[in-house]
Amino acid sequence: MGDVFRALADESRRALLDRLNQASGQTLRELCAGLDMTRQSVSKHLAVLEEAGLVTTVRRGREKLHYLNAAPISDIAERWISRYDRRRVDALADLKKALEATPMSRPAFVYTTYIRTTPEQLWQGLTDPAFTRQYWGTAFETDWRPGSAMTWRLDRDDTEIADPEQVVLEAEPFTRLSYSWHSFTAEWAKAYDIDDEYRAKAAAEPRSKVTFEIEPKGDQVKLTVTHEGGDTVLEGVSQGWPELVASLKSLLETGKPL
């Protein structure tokens, strides 16, 4: 947390976070526009923010897109807000909410967190039904080979979601996993009490996909979740992924999901 506090202490870095809060997924060139800072200074500040986990980057061809990451703010809020006068930390709580609710200007939701585990255990947490049922209430029936079909089985009403376009896209054990998102079926909507209007809008968008990148960092593992899709789907997953990943983190670190 020391890195996060040091990163937030600088006015220029806070200004960059404000810019990303207004429009996430910006390139270095876009972030430099209109700022009274050199490109080199902006790069250095972004490096500090990325090292602190407040900014996550994703490569798109030759471009490097920068996204806000709410996880460190959430950790600070959970650790400190309960220990001090609530009125003194309202600004921090508001920032946490703003980061988690930031609309995406690019077709992706990006979220990064650090889990005290191993790449092997994290991979198991993402793929093994014995784990996914505990924090997700979902089991994936697949052999986890690129191109293989995936059947989603929800614990709610034992709902099955099967479709030829639900497939594994990439699978590099302990390093990278990607698959297409499930179909928005009537059975799925009934299991989660989703209204017909939202289901129709989500189903009308091109199928989205999620990618998990796993990177060892000392005695921890850096997990980056990138979800690419249409506005309706991203609006929904941007609320769900932080809670889901936090529950996975809790399961791997304590043995119990949230």
Side-chain angles (χ1 to χ4, degrees):
M1 286 192 179
D3 289 341
V4 178
F5 281 117
R6 281 189 289 272
L8 292 172
D10 186 273
E11 183 178 359
S12 295
R13 289 195 282 272
R14 293 198 300 272
L16 287 171
L17 289 177
D18 287 339
R19 293 286 295 271
L20 288 175
N21 190 38
Q22 294 171 1
S24 204
Q26 296 188 58
T27 63
L28 176 60
R29 176 179 53 79
E30 291 169 333
L31 285 169
C32 289
L35 288 179
D36 189 21
M37 283 190 281
T38 66
R39 184 184 181 93
Q40 184 178 16
S41 295
V42 173
S43 294
K44 289 181 177 180
H45 285 309
L46 287 172
V48 174
L49 292 169
E50 187 173 356
E51 183 67 24
L54 289 162
V55 168
T56 294
T57 60
V58 175
R59 286 282 182 184
R60 286 293 179 271
R62 300 178 65 180
E63 290 188 325
K64 187 178 184 181
L65 306 182
H66 299 80
Y67 291 85
L68 279 172
N69 183 47
I73 299 298
S74 298
D75 292 342
I76 289 175
E78 291 170 5
R79 177 172 177 177
W80 294 97
I81 283 181
S82 61
R83 300 188 183 187
Y84 295 94
D85 187 333
R86 186 82 184 192
R87 289 171 295 180
R88 297 180 182 179
V89 291
D90 277 347
L92 180 60
D94 289 344
L95 176 58
K96 172 179 179 291
K97 293 175 183 176
L99 290 177
E100 292 180 342
T102 300
M104 293 296 134
S105 60
R106 308 274 180 162
F109 168 82
V110 182
Y111 190 84
T112 297
T113 192
Y114 291 81
I115 304 176
R116 200 171 298 279
T117 186
T118 65
E120 292 79 9
Q121 289 173 328
L122 180 51
W123 181 269
Q124 188 176 17
L126 293 171
T127 59
D128 188 340
F131 280 86
T132 58
R133 283 189 183 279
Q134 291 186 64
Y135 69 90
W136 199 334
T138 301
F140 303 107
E141 297 177 356
T142 181
D143 60 12
W144 295 113
R145 295 178 180 177
S148 292
M150 293 180 67
T151 295
W152 294 48
R153 190 168 297 281
L154 314 181
D155 287 350
R156 294 195 182 196
D157 302 331
D158 193 28
T159 300
E160 178 183 291
I161 306 177
D163 189 282
E165 294 186 12
Q166 292 174 193
V167 297
V168 179
L169 300 172
E170 299 177 73
E172 300 175 25
F174 323 132
T175 301
R176 184 180 175 89
L177 178 67
S178 180
Y179 49 82
S180 57
W181 204 236
H182 66 74
S183 304
F184 294 97
T185 64
E187 293 77 13
W188 167 82
K190 180 180 179 181
Y192 288 101
D193 195 25
I194 304 295
D195 62 68
D196 291 338
E197 181 181 359
Y198 177 87
R199 188 187 79 82
K201 289 173 63 178
E205 294 179 348
R207 187 176 297 273
S208 65
K209 72 172 185 177
V210 62
T211 301
F212 304 92
E213 294 180 84
I214 301 170
E215 183 181 355
K217 291 286 185 179
D219 63 346
Q220 300 184 83
V221 177
K222 177 183 177 182
L223 173 64
T224 300
V225 181
T226 302
H227 200 123
E228 300 171 85
D231 292 340
T232 302
V233 174
L234 291 182
E235 181 181 357
V237 299
S238 66
Q239 302 300 314
W241 274 123
E243 181 178 347
L244 197 64
V245 172
S247 193
L248 169 61
K249 174 181 172 73
S250 178
L251 176 62
L252 292 172
E253 292 185 342
T254 71
K256 296 181 180 179
L258 297 181

